[in-house]
Amino acid sequence: MSRRVVRQSKFRHVFGQAAKADQAYEDIRVSKVTWDSAFCAVNPKFLAIIVEAGGGGAFIVLPLAKTGRVDKNYPLVTGHTGPVLDIDWCPHNDNVIASASDDTTVMVWQIPDYTPVRNITEPVITLEGHSKRVGILSWHPTARNVLLSAGGDNVIIIWNVGTGEALLSLDDIHPDVIHSVCWNSNGSLLATTCKDKTLRIIDPRKSQVVAERARPHEGARPLRAVFTADGKLLSTGFSRMSERQLALWDPNNFEEPVALQEMDTSNGVLLPFYDPDSSIVYLCGKGDSSIRYFEITDEPPFVHYLNTFSSKEPQRGMGFMPKRGLDVSKCEIARFYKLHERKCEPIVMTVPRKSDLFQDDLYPDTPGPEPALEADEWLSGQDAEPVLISLKEGYVPPKHRELRITKRNILDARPPAGPRRSQSASDSPLSQHTLETLQEEMKALRERVQAQEERITALENMLCELVEGTD
Protein backbone atom coordinates (compact mmCIF):
# COMPACT_ATOMS: atom_id res chain seq x y z
CA MET A 1 0.00 0.00 0.00
CA SER A 2 1.28 3.44 -0.90
CA ARG A 3 0.97 6.01 1.85
CA ARG A 4 0.19 9.60 0.98
CA VAL A 5 2.96 11.84 2.25
CA VAL A 6 1.64 14.99 3.93
CA ARG A 7 3.70 18.11 3.27
CA GLN A 8 5.61 19.25 6.35
CA SER A 9 4.83 22.85 7.30
CA LYS A 10 4.39 24.65 10.60
CA PHE A 11 1.68 26.78 8.97
CA ARG A 12 -0.58 23.93 7.78
CA HIS A 13 -2.96 24.43 10.70
CA VAL A 14 -3.18 28.24 10.76
CA PHE A 15 -6.74 29.23 11.60
CA GLY A 16 -8.59 32.53 11.58
CA GLN A 17 -10.88 33.79 14.29
CA ALA A 18 -12.98 36.94 14.54
CA ALA A 19 -12.54 38.96 17.73
CA LYS A 20 -15.33 39.04 20.28
CA ALA A 21 -18.01 41.70 19.84
CA ASP A 22 -16.56 43.95 22.57
CA GLN A 23 -13.20 44.02 20.71
CA ALA A 24 -14.73 45.50 17.54
CA TYR A 25 -15.04 49.21 16.67
CA GLU A 26 -18.73 50.07 16.22
CA ASP A 27 -20.67 52.94 14.61
CA ILE A 28 -18.07 53.97 12.05
CA ARG A 29 -19.46 55.30 8.76
CA VAL A 30 -17.04 53.61 6.37
CA SER A 31 -16.53 55.46 3.08
CA LYS A 32 -18.72 54.43 0.14
CA VAL A 33 -16.42 55.88 -2.52
CA THR A 34 -15.80 53.55 -5.48
CA TRP A 35 -12.08 52.81 -5.33
CA ASP A 36 -10.09 49.58 -4.99
CA SER A 37 -7.91 50.51 -2.02
CA ALA A 38 -7.98 48.94 1.46
CA PHE A 39 -9.72 52.00 3.12
CA CYS A 40 -7.99 51.01 6.36
CA ALA A 41 -4.46 51.30 7.77
CA VAL A 42 -3.22 50.04 11.11
CA ASN A 43 -0.02 50.07 13.17
CA PRO A 44 0.88 49.05 16.76
CA LYS A 45 -0.65 52.28 18.14
CA PHE A 46 -3.53 53.39 15.90
CA LEU A 47 -6.31 52.25 13.59
CA ALA A 48 -7.18 54.62 10.70
CA ILE A 49 -10.30 54.24 8.53
CA ILE A 50 -11.53 56.36 5.60
CA VAL A 51 -15.06 57.54 6.48
CA GLU A 52 -18.01 59.29 4.89
CA ALA A 53 -17.71 63.06 5.21
CA GLY A 54 -19.79 65.92 3.90
CA GLY A 55 -17.97 68.68 2.03
CA GLY A 56 -14.65 66.95 1.51
CA GLY A 57 -12.70 63.90 2.56
CA ALA A 58 -11.93 62.59 6.02
CA PHE A 59 -10.61 59.63 7.95
CA ILE A 60 -10.86 58.65 11.60
CA VAL A 61 -7.87 57.66 13.75
CA LEU A 62 -8.55 55.58 16.87
CA PRO A 63 -6.10 54.30 19.49
CA LEU A 64 -6.09 50.49 19.19
CA ALA A 65 -7.44 50.15 22.74
CA LYS A 66 -10.51 52.32 21.99
CA THR A 67 -12.83 49.44 21.11
CA GLY A 68 -16.60 49.46 21.37
CA ARG A 69 -18.97 52.13 20.13
CA VAL A 70 -17.31 55.22 18.67
CA ASP A 71 -18.99 58.51 19.57
CA LYS A 72 -20.58 60.16 16.53
CA ASN A 73 -18.75 63.41 17.41
CA TYR A 74 -15.33 61.74 17.68
CA PRO A 75 -12.75 64.07 16.04
CA LEU A 76 -11.80 63.27 12.43
CA VAL A 77 -8.78 64.14 10.31
CA THR A 78 -10.24 66.58 7.79
CA GLY A 79 -8.34 68.74 5.35
CA HIS A 80 -8.93 67.35 1.87
CA THR A 81 -11.54 69.06 -0.32
CA GLY A 82 -12.36 65.78 -2.12
CA PRO A 83 -12.86 62.16 -0.98
CA VAL A 84 -9.85 60.43 0.60
CA LEU A 85 -8.86 57.43 -1.56
CA ASP A 86 -5.88 55.92 0.27
CA ILE A 87 -4.09 56.18 3.63
CA ASP A 88 -0.77 54.71 4.77
CA TRP A 89 1.08 54.82 8.11
CA CYS A 90 4.77 55.71 8.07
CA PRO A 91 6.74 52.52 8.92
CA HIS A 92 9.36 54.58 10.82
CA ASN A 93 7.07 56.78 12.93
CA ASP A 94 3.82 55.38 14.34
CA ASN A 95 2.35 58.89 14.77
CA VAL A 96 2.70 59.91 11.10
CA ILE A 97 0.15 59.02 8.41
CA ALA A 98 -0.20 60.09 4.77
CA SER A 99 -3.50 60.52 2.93
CA ALA A 100 -4.22 60.76 -0.81
CA SER A 101 -7.33 62.34 -2.25
CA ASP A 102 -9.52 63.01 -5.22
CA ASP A 103 -8.50 66.68 -4.79
CA THR A 104 -5.06 65.87 -6.39
CA THR A 105 -3.08 66.39 -3.17
CA VAL A 106 -1.21 64.22 -0.68
CA MET A 107 -1.23 65.33 2.96
CA VAL A 108 1.00 64.11 5.77
CA TRP A 109 -0.37 64.29 9.31
CA GLN A 110 1.09 64.09 12.82
CA ILE A 111 -1.34 62.21 15.08
CA PRO A 112 -1.03 63.03 18.82
CA ASP A 113 -0.95 60.28 21.44
CA TYR A 114 -3.80 61.98 23.30
CA THR A 115 -7.35 62.21 21.90
CA PRO A 116 -7.86 65.66 20.33
CA VAL A 117 -10.96 67.63 21.33
CA ARG A 118 -11.69 68.82 17.81
CA ASN A 119 -11.02 67.73 14.21
CA ILE A 120 -7.41 67.72 13.04
CA THR A 121 -7.46 70.10 10.07
CA GLU A 122 -3.83 71.18 9.59
CA PRO A 123 -1.45 68.68 7.94
CA VAL A 124 2.26 68.83 8.67
CA ILE A 125 2.81 69.25 4.95
CA THR A 126 0.80 69.22 1.72
CA LEU A 127 2.42 67.69 -1.36
CA GLU A 128 1.15 69.07 -4.67
CA GLY A 129 2.37 67.74 -7.99
CA HIS A 130 -0.33 65.52 -9.48
CA SER A 131 -2.79 66.94 -11.98
CA LYS A 132 -5.54 64.36 -11.28
CA ARG A 133 -6.80 62.34 -8.33
CA VAL A 134 -4.18 60.56 -6.21
CA GLY A 135 -5.25 56.99 -5.45
CA ILE A 136 -2.14 55.11 -4.26
CA LEU A 137 0.34 55.77 -1.44
CA SER A 138 3.31 53.70 -0.27
CA TRP A 139 6.11 54.63 2.14
CA HIS A 140 9.65 53.46 1.36
CA PRO A 141 10.45 50.40 3.51
CA THR A 142 13.97 51.43 4.60
CA ALA A 143 14.61 55.15 3.84
CA ARG A 144 13.41 57.87 6.22
CA ASN A 145 10.60 60.18 5.03
CA VAL A 146 10.43 58.80 1.46
CA LEU A 147 6.84 58.51 0.21
CA LEU A 148 5.51 57.33 -3.15
CA SER A 149 2.25 58.57 -4.66
CA ALA A 150 0.53 57.47 -7.88
CA GLY A 151 -2.23 59.44 -9.56
CA GLY A 152 -4.90 59.32 -12.22
CA ASP A 153 -2.47 61.32 -14.38
CA ASN A 154 -0.48 58.02 -14.80
CA VAL A 155 2.46 59.58 -12.92
CA ILE A 156 4.39 58.20 -9.94
CA ILE A 157 6.05 60.83 -7.73
CA ILE A 158 8.53 59.94 -4.98
CA TRP A 159 8.71 62.63 -2.29
CA ASN A 160 11.05 63.56 0.51
CA VAL A 161 8.43 64.36 3.14
CA GLY A 162 11.14 65.87 5.40
CA THR A 163 11.66 68.74 2.95
CA GLY A 164 8.46 68.63 0.87
CA GLU A 165 10.42 68.14 -2.36
CA ALA A 166 9.68 65.74 -5.20
CA LEU A 167 12.79 63.55 -5.48
CA LEU A 168 11.70 61.68 -8.62
CA SER A 169 8.84 61.82 -11.11
CA LEU A 170 8.12 58.79 -13.29
CA ASP A 171 5.81 60.31 -15.88
CA ASP A 172 6.45 58.46 -19.15
CA ILE A 173 6.37 54.81 -18.08
CA HIS A 174 2.64 54.10 -17.72
CA PRO A 175 0.31 54.86 -20.67
CA ASP A 176 -2.84 54.34 -18.58
CA VAL A 177 -4.19 54.37 -15.00
CA ILE A 178 -1.92 52.69 -12.42
CA HIS A 179 -3.74 50.02 -10.39
CA SER A 180 -1.10 49.07 -7.81
CA VAL A 181 2.46 49.87 -6.73
CA CYS A 182 4.69 47.85 -4.39
CA TRP A 183 8.29 48.30 -3.16
CA ASN A 184 10.62 45.32 -2.85
CA SER A 185 12.11 44.54 0.59
CA ASN A 186 14.98 47.05 0.42
CA GLY A 187 13.19 49.67 -1.68
CA SER A 188 15.47 49.44 -4.73
CA LEU A 189 12.70 48.35 -7.14
CA LEU A 190 8.99 48.91 -7.74
CA ALA A 191 6.40 46.50 -9.10
CA THR A 192 3.45 48.19 -10.80
CA THR A 193 0.27 47.05 -12.52
CA CYS A 194 -1.58 49.22 -14.98
CA LYS A 195 -4.83 49.40 -16.93
CA ASP A 196 -2.84 48.44 -20.05
CA LYS A 197 -2.65 44.93 -18.44
CA THR A 198 1.14 45.02 -18.08
CA LEU A 199 3.10 44.05 -14.98
CA ARG A 200 6.31 46.11 -14.74
CA ILE A 201 9.40 46.05 -12.52
CA ILE A 202 10.90 49.54 -12.36
CA ASP A 203 14.18 50.95 -11.06
CA PRO A 204 12.82 54.32 -9.87
CA ARG A 205 16.20 56.04 -9.52
CA LYS A 206 17.03 55.28 -13.16
CA SER A 207 13.42 55.84 -14.34
CA GLN A 208 13.84 52.56 -16.16
CA VAL A 209 11.68 49.45 -16.68
CA VAL A 210 13.88 46.48 -15.67
CA ALA A 211 11.41 43.78 -16.74
CA GLU A 212 7.80 43.60 -17.86
CA ARG A 213 5.12 41.05 -18.65
CA ALA A 214 2.14 41.89 -20.84
CA ARG A 215 -1.14 40.24 -19.81
CA PRO A 216 0.04 38.15 -16.84
CA HIS A 217 -3.68 37.40 -16.43
CA GLU A 218 -5.92 37.30 -19.50
CA GLY A 219 -9.04 38.85 -17.97
CA ALA A 220 -10.09 42.48 -18.26
CA ARG A 221 -10.40 43.26 -14.53
CA PRO A 222 -7.60 45.06 -12.60
CA LEU A 223 -4.39 43.31 -11.54
CA ARG A 224 -2.47 43.55 -8.26
CA ALA A 225 1.15 42.56 -7.58
CA VAL A 226 3.46 42.29 -4.55
CA PHE A 227 7.12 41.32 -4.15
CA THR A 228 8.02 38.22 -2.13
CA ALA A 229 10.96 38.12 0.28
CA ASP A 230 13.28 36.50 -2.30
CA GLY A 231 12.46 38.96 -5.11
CA LYS A 232 9.79 36.96 -6.92
CA LEU A 233 6.38 38.48 -7.66
CA LEU A 234 2.87 37.43 -6.68
CA SER A 235 0.08 38.74 -8.90
CA THR A 236 -3.69 38.49 -8.61
CA GLY A 237 -6.01 38.88 -11.58
CA PHE A 238 -8.66 37.22 -13.70
CA SER A 239 -8.73 34.57 -16.41
CA ARG A 240 -10.61 34.99 -19.70
CA MET A 241 -13.54 33.19 -18.06
CA SER A 242 -13.49 35.70 -15.12
CA GLU A 243 -12.00 33.15 -12.74
CA ARG A 244 -9.83 34.79 -10.10
CA GLN A 245 -6.17 33.75 -10.20
CA LEU A 246 -3.00 33.92 -8.10
CA ALA A 247 0.29 33.64 -10.00
CA LEU A 248 3.93 33.44 -8.87
CA TRP A 249 6.52 34.94 -11.24
CA ASP A 250 10.30 34.88 -11.51
CA PRO A 251 11.37 38.31 -12.88
CA ASN A 252 14.38 36.68 -14.56
CA ASN A 253 12.00 34.58 -16.68
CA PHE A 254 8.69 36.32 -17.30
CA GLU A 255 7.59 33.93 -20.07
CA GLU A 256 5.61 31.52 -17.88
CA PRO A 257 4.46 31.77 -14.26
CA VAL A 258 6.30 29.60 -11.73
CA ALA A 259 2.86 28.63 -10.38
CA LEU A 260 -0.75 29.52 -11.14
CA GLN A 261 -3.73 28.93 -8.84
CA GLU A 262 -7.29 29.33 -10.06
CA MET A 263 -10.00 30.05 -7.54
CA ASP A 264 -13.60 31.11 -7.97
CA THR A 265 -15.62 33.29 -10.34
CA SER A 266 -16.28 36.68 -8.79
CA ASN A 267 -16.03 40.38 -9.65
CA GLY A 268 -14.14 41.48 -6.53
CA VAL A 269 -10.51 42.50 -7.03
CA LEU A 270 -8.25 40.39 -4.80
CA LEU A 271 -6.04 42.50 -2.50
CA PRO A 272 -2.88 40.50 -1.67
CA PHE A 273 -1.30 40.94 1.80
CA TYR A 274 2.11 39.26 1.95
CA ASP A 275 3.96 38.38 5.16
CA PRO A 276 7.68 37.93 4.38
CA ASP A 277 8.44 36.34 7.79
CA SER A 278 6.14 33.36 7.23
CA SER A 279 6.01 33.60 3.41
CA ILE A 280 2.21 33.46 3.52
CA VAL A 281 0.03 35.53 1.20
CA TYR A 282 -3.52 36.40 2.30
CA LEU A 283 -6.07 37.24 -0.41
CA CYS A 284 -8.95 39.51 0.55
CA GLY A 285 -11.52 40.36 -2.11
CA LYS A 286 -13.60 43.51 -1.79
CA GLY A 287 -17.19 42.38 -1.42
CA ASP A 288 -16.08 38.87 -0.38
CA SER A 289 -16.78 37.44 3.03
CA SER A 290 -13.64 35.28 3.13
CA ILE A 291 -9.85 35.46 3.38
CA ARG A 292 -7.88 32.78 1.50
CA TYR A 293 -4.28 32.14 2.40
CA PHE A 294 -1.40 30.33 0.69
CA GLU A 295 2.15 29.44 1.68
CA ILE A 296 4.91 30.22 -0.84
CA THR A 297 7.85 27.74 -0.76
CA ASP A 298 10.92 26.77 -2.82
CA GLU A 299 9.65 23.33 -3.72
CA PRO A 300 6.91 22.44 -6.27
CA PRO A 301 4.12 23.33 -6.58
CA PHE A 302 5.57 26.50 -4.92
CA VAL A 303 2.13 27.92 -3.99
CA HIS A 304 0.36 25.77 -1.38
CA TYR A 305 -3.25 26.43 -0.40
CA LEU A 306 -3.59 26.48 3.40
CA ASN A 307 -7.15 27.40 4.29
CA THR A 308 -10.01 29.91 4.00
CA PHE A 309 -11.41 32.04 6.79
CA SER A 310 -15.11 32.58 6.12
CA SER A 311 -17.67 34.83 7.74
CA LYS A 312 -21.19 36.00 6.93
CA GLU A 313 -20.65 39.69 6.24
CA PRO A 314 -18.87 41.02 3.10
CA GLN A 315 -15.78 43.16 3.61
CA ARG A 316 -15.65 46.80 2.48
CA GLY A 317 -11.91 47.04 3.08
CA MET A 318 -9.10 45.52 5.11
CA GLY A 319 -6.22 46.65 7.34
CA PHE A 320 -3.11 44.49 7.90
CA MET A 321 -1.15 44.86 11.13
CA PRO A 322 2.68 44.96 10.87
CA LYS A 323 4.37 42.00 12.57
CA ARG A 324 5.62 44.11 15.50
CA GLY A 325 2.00 44.85 16.49
CA LEU A 326 1.00 41.19 17.04
CA ASP A 327 0.56 39.34 20.34
CA VAL A 328 3.42 36.81 20.26
CA SER A 329 2.24 35.20 23.52
CA LYS A 330 -0.85 33.92 21.68
CA CYS A 331 1.06 32.71 18.56
CA GLU A 332 -0.62 35.33 16.35
CA ILE A 333 1.04 35.39 12.94
CA ALA A 334 -1.31 37.92 11.31
CA ARG A 335 -4.12 40.27 12.30
CA PHE A 336 -6.61 41.85 9.94
CA TYR A 337 -9.05 44.70 10.53
CA LYS A 338 -12.12 43.95 8.44
CA LEU A 339 -14.37 46.87 7.48
CA HIS A 340 -18.13 46.35 7.47
CA GLU A 341 -20.64 49.03 6.53
CA ARG A 342 -20.76 50.46 10.08
CA LYS A 343 -17.97 48.76 12.01
CA CYS A 344 -14.42 47.38 12.00
CA GLU A 345 -13.78 43.84 13.21
CA PRO A 346 -10.33 42.40 14.08
CA ILE A 347 -9.59 38.92 12.66
CA VAL A 348 -6.67 37.02 14.18
CA MET A 349 -4.65 34.31 12.39
CA THR A 350 -3.08 31.87 14.86
CA VAL A 351 -0.77 28.85 14.74
CA PRO A 352 -1.96 26.38 17.41
CA ARG A 353 0.84 25.58 19.89
CA LYS A 354 0.69 23.88 23.29
CA SER A 355 3.71 25.63 24.80
CA ASP A 356 3.48 29.09 26.38
CA LEU A 357 7.13 29.82 25.56
CA PHE A 358 8.20 32.24 22.82
CA GLN A 359 8.03 30.40 19.48
CA ASP A 360 11.18 31.58 17.74
CA ASP A 361 10.44 29.52 14.60
CA LEU A 362 7.23 31.57 14.09
CA TYR A 363 8.84 34.93 14.82
CA PRO A 364 12.16 35.53 13.08
CA ASP A 365 13.59 39.04 13.53
CA THR A 366 11.29 41.45 11.72
CA PRO A 367 11.58 45.05 10.38
CA GLY A 368 11.48 47.56 13.23
CA PRO A 369 10.70 51.30 13.31
CA GLU A 370 14.24 52.53 12.68
CA PRO A 371 15.06 53.55 9.08
CA ALA A 372 18.26 52.12 7.55
CA LEU A 373 18.92 55.12 5.26
CA GLU A 374 18.28 58.83 4.95
CA ALA A 375 16.36 60.06 1.89
CA ASP A 376 19.44 61.63 0.29
CA GLU A 377 21.47 58.42 0.74
CA TRP A 378 18.78 56.38 -1.01
CA LEU A 379 18.48 58.91 -3.84
CA SER A 380 22.28 58.81 -4.37
CA GLY A 381 22.08 55.07 -5.08
CA GLN A 382 22.57 53.41 -1.70
CA ASP A 383 20.45 50.41 -0.69
CA ALA A 384 20.06 48.82 2.74
CA GLU A 385 17.98 45.98 4.13
CA PRO A 386 15.45 46.87 6.88
CA VAL A 387 16.79 47.23 10.44
CA LEU A 388 15.44 44.14 12.22
CA ILE A 389 14.20 43.74 15.78
CA SER A 390 13.42 40.68 17.91
CA LEU A 391 9.87 40.13 19.14
CA LYS A 392 10.98 37.83 21.97
CA GLU A 393 10.19 40.31 24.76
CA GLY A 394 7.15 41.68 22.93
CA TYR A 395 7.26 44.96 21.00
CA VAL A 396 6.87 48.25 22.88
CA PRO A 397 6.18 51.23 20.58
CA PRO A 398 8.65 54.12 21.01
CA LYS A 399 7.46 57.39 22.53
CA HIS A 400 5.88 60.10 20.39
CA ARG A 401 8.33 61.45 17.80
CA GLU A 402 7.67 64.58 15.78
CA LEU A 403 8.11 64.70 12.03
CA ARG A 404 10.26 67.75 11.40
CA ILE A 405 10.05 69.68 8.13
CA THR A 406 13.31 71.29 7.00
CA LYS A 407 12.84 73.99 4.38
CA ARG A 408 15.61 74.43 1.82
CA ASN A 409 17.39 77.80 1.74
CA ILE A 410 16.03 79.29 -1.47
CA LEU A 411 18.71 82.02 -1.57
CA ASP A 412 21.65 79.73 -2.29
CA ALA A 413 19.96 76.75 -3.89
CA ARG A 414 18.11 76.44 -7.16
CA PRO A 415 14.50 75.24 -6.90
CA PRO A 416 14.16 71.49 -7.44
CA ALA A 417 13.07 70.34 -10.88
CA GLY A 418 9.74 68.61 -11.23
CA PRO A 419 6.40 69.12 -9.51
CA ARG A 420 5.94 72.14 -7.30
CA ARG A 421 5.69 71.96 -3.56
CA SER A 422 3.29 73.70 -1.26
CA GLN A 423 2.94 73.86 2.45
CA SER A 424 -0.12 74.67 4.44
CA ALA A 425 -0.23 76.38 7.81
CA SER A 426 2.72 74.22 8.74
CA ASP A 427 5.18 76.32 6.69
CA SER A 428 6.56 77.22 10.09
CA PRO A 429 8.59 74.52 11.87
CA LEU A 430 6.42 71.72 13.19
CA SER A 431 7.34 72.51 16.81
CA GLN A 432 5.71 75.97 16.42
CA HIS A 433 2.69 74.40 14.68
CA THR A 434 2.37 71.85 17.50
CA LEU A 435 2.72 74.58 20.16
CA GLU A 436 -0.14 76.59 18.62
CA THR A 437 -2.32 73.46 18.45
CA LEU A 438 -1.57 72.64 22.11
CA GLN A 439 -2.35 76.20 23.17
CA GLU A 440 -5.71 75.96 21.41
CA GLU A 441 -6.42 72.60 23.07
CA MET A 442 -5.51 74.05 26.51
CA LYS A 443 -7.72 77.08 25.95
CA ALA A 444 -10.67 74.86 24.97
CA LEU A 445 -10.10 72.62 28.02
CA ARG A 446 -9.92 75.63 30.37
CA GLU A 447 -13.23 76.93 28.99
CA ARG A 448 -14.83 73.53 29.56
CA VAL A 449 -13.43 73.34 33.12
CA GLN A 450 -14.69 76.85 33.85
CA ALA A 451 -18.18 75.94 32.57
CA GLN A 452 -18.18 72.80 34.74
CA GLU A 453 -17.12 74.82 37.81
CA GLU A 454 -19.93 77.32 37.21
CA ARG A 455 -22.38 74.44 36.91
CA ILE A 456 -21.10 72.91 40.18
CA THR A 457 -21.48 76.26 41.97
CA ALA A 458 -25.06 76.59 40.70
CA LEU A 459 -25.90 73.05 41.87
CA GLU A 460 -24.36 73.74 45.32
CA ASN A 461 -26.51 76.87 45.67
CA MET A 462 -29.64 74.91 44.71
CA LEU A 463 -28.73 72.22 47.25
CA CYS A 464 -28.26 74.82 50.03
CA GLU A 465 -31.65 76.37 49.21
CA LEU A 466 -33.32 72.94 49.37
CA VAL A 467 -31.67 72.12 52.72
CA GLU A 468 -32.72 75.50 54.16
CA GLY A 469 -36.26 74.92 52.87
CA THR A 470 -36.56 71.55 54.60
CA ASP A 471 -35.25 73.03 57.90
Side-chain angles (χ1 to χ4, degrees):
M1 281 176 66
S2 64
R3 289 175 58 194
R4 187 182 170 204
V5 179
V6 177
R7 185 179 70 90
Q8 290 294 312
S9 169
K10 56 190 169 230
F11 301 115
R12 268 196 320 128
H13 301 294
V14 172
F15 68 96
Q17 197 167 21
K20 292 176 182 171
D22 62 349
Q23 294 301 304
Y25 306 82
E26 306 272 357
D27 269 7
I28 296 170
R29 296 169 59 222
V30 177
S31 174
K32 292 185 172 70
V33 69
T34 307
W35 191 254
D36 281 330
S37 75
F39 284 12
C40 179
V42 63
N43 69 21
K45 288 171 89 168
F46 297 108
L47 168 69
I49 300 167
I50 302 174
V51 293
E52 285 286 289
F59 58 99
I60 190 169
V61 177
L62 300 167
L64 278 191
K66 190 168 178 55
T67 54
R69 185 178 167 277
V70 177
D71 190 288
K72 69 177 190 298
N73 296 319
Y74 193 90
L76 304 176
V77 182
T78 60
H80 287 289
T81 56
V84 176
L85 302 178
D86 199 14
I87 47 178
D88 196 26
W89 287 105
C90 176
H92 307 127
N93 188 334
D94 286 342
N95 292 76
V96 171
I97 188 169
S99 59
S101 168
D102 202 63
D103 67 8
T104 76
T105 68
V106 174
M107 293 182 177
V108 180
W109 309 83
Q110 181 97 33
I111 305 299
D113 284 332
Y114 60 88
T115 302
V117 290
R118 54 171 66 86
N119 287 353
I120 298 174
T121 57
E122 292 296 339
V124 176
I125 196 163
T126 302
L127 306 170
E128 295 183 329
H130 289 281
S131 59
K132 292 186 179 176
R133 61 162 55 175
V134 188
I136 297 170
L137 288 175
S138 183
W139 290 90
H140 193 283
T142 63
R144 188 195 308 273
N145 292 342
V146 175
L147 175 66
L148 175 152
S149 63
D153 50 7
N154 314 336
V155 174
I156 290 174
I157 301 176
I158 297 173
W159 308 88
N160 180 350
V161 173
T163 62
E165 293 172 307
L167 299 175
L168 299 163
S169 182
L170 311 178
D171 48 16
D172 54 1
I173 291 177
H174 299 91
D176 214 327
V177 176
I178 300 160
H179 285 150
S180 74
V181 181
C182 174
W183 296 96
N184 67 346
S185 61
N186 69 359
S188 59
L189 297 172
L190 295 171
T192 68
T193 61
C194 177
K195 197 175 179 182
D196 70 349
K197 301 184 181 59
T198 302
L199 171 60
R200 294 175 176 84
I201 298 178
I202 298 166
D203 183 332
R205 288 169 295 194
K206 293 179 181 173
S207 297
Q208 199 172 22
V209 177
V210 179
E212 63 182 359
R213 174 69 161 84
R215 303 189 77 89
H217 300 274
E218 293 290 336
R221 301 276 294 138
L223 312 171
R224 286 281 188 282
V226 290
F227 275 104
T228 64
D230 60 357
K232 291 189 176 69
L233 276 170
L234 283 164
S235 66
T236 62
F238 295 78
S239 72
R240 268 211 189 98
M241 307 301 291
S242 293
E243 284 182 314
R244 295 197 288 194
Q245 297 176 323
L246 170 67
L248 179 67
W249 301 90
D250 182 350
N252 299 317
N253 179 14
F254 253 156
E255 291 302 309
E256 290 293 326
V258 176
L260 182 68
Q261 283 264 356
E262 294 206 333
M263 283 164 278
D264 57 356
T265 306
S266 175
N267 283 332
V269 174
L270 286 170
L271 306 179
F273 295 93
Y274 175 72
D275 173 19
D277 295 345
S278 60
S279 201
I280 294 176
V281 63
Y282 302 86
L283 304 182
C284 308
K286 278 196 128 178
D288 287 9
S289 53
S290 62
I291 302 171
R292 290 181 183 80
Y293 40 106
F294 299 81
E295 186 179 359
I296 315 300
T297 66
D298 293 333
E299 61 270 348
F302 305 107
V303 176
H304 307 270
Y305 171 75
L306 291 175
N307 210 336
T308 300
F309 167 81
S310 296
S311 58
K312 292 177 184 175
E313 298 290 325
Q315 53 229 17
R316 297 278 293 274
M318 196 70 80
F320 188 50
M321 175 68 80
K323 208 56 167 267
R324 57 196 171 90
L326 302 181
D327 187 344
V328 297
S329 67
K330 294 180 180 170
C331 295
E332 270 187 26
I333 61 161
R335 193 189 311 152
F336 291 91
Y337 288 77
K338 173 182 171 179
L339 299 186
H340 298 245
E341 197 170 332
R342 298 280 303 193
K343 74 172 182 178
C344 175
E345 174 186 48
I347 295 167
V348 175
M349 299 291 177
T350 307
V351 176
R353 291 279 167 97
K354 291 179 180 175
S355 171
D356 290 335
L357 299 174
F358 177 73
Q359 307 291 313
D360 51 10
D361 62 323
L362 297 183
Y363 301 105
D365 288 357
T366 195
E370 287 303 316
L373 293 170
E374 296 298 326
D376 293 343
E377 293 173 328
W378 177 78
L379 187 63
S380 70
Q382 291 186 46
D383 289 319
E385 294 301 318
V387 179
L388 303 181
I389 57 169
S390 169
L391 297 177
K392 188 163 188 175
E393 304 303 325
Y395 173 73
V396 179
K399 289 182 179 174
H400 178 89
R401 291 185 297 180
E402 285 187 354
L403 169 61
R404 296 193 177 276
I405 305 299
T406 309
K407 291 167 64 182
R408 298 285 190 197
N409 185 341
I410 57 170
L411 297 176
D412 58 15
R414 286 178 297 171
R420 70 189 188 284
R421 164 176 83 91
S422 96
Q423 286 186 331
S424 57
S426 40
D427 257 318
S428 54
L430 179 65
S431 54
Q432 181 66 31
H433 168 61
T434 309
L435 181 65
E436 288 168 4
T437 307
L438 284 172
Q439 285 170 339
E440 281 183 25
E441 301 277 1
M442 288 295 292
K443 185 181 175 185
L445 281 170
R446 283 198 188 97
E447 287 171 359
R448 284 165 63 184
V449 168
Q450 188 178 348
Q452 293 289 347
E453 285 174 346
E454 288 171 1
R455 175 73 176 146
I456 288 166
T457 305
L459 287 170
E460 283 175 344
N461 291 337
M462 286 171 64
L463 187 63
C464 288
E465 288 171 10
L466 282 169
V467 169
E468 286 168 6
T470 52
D471 288 348

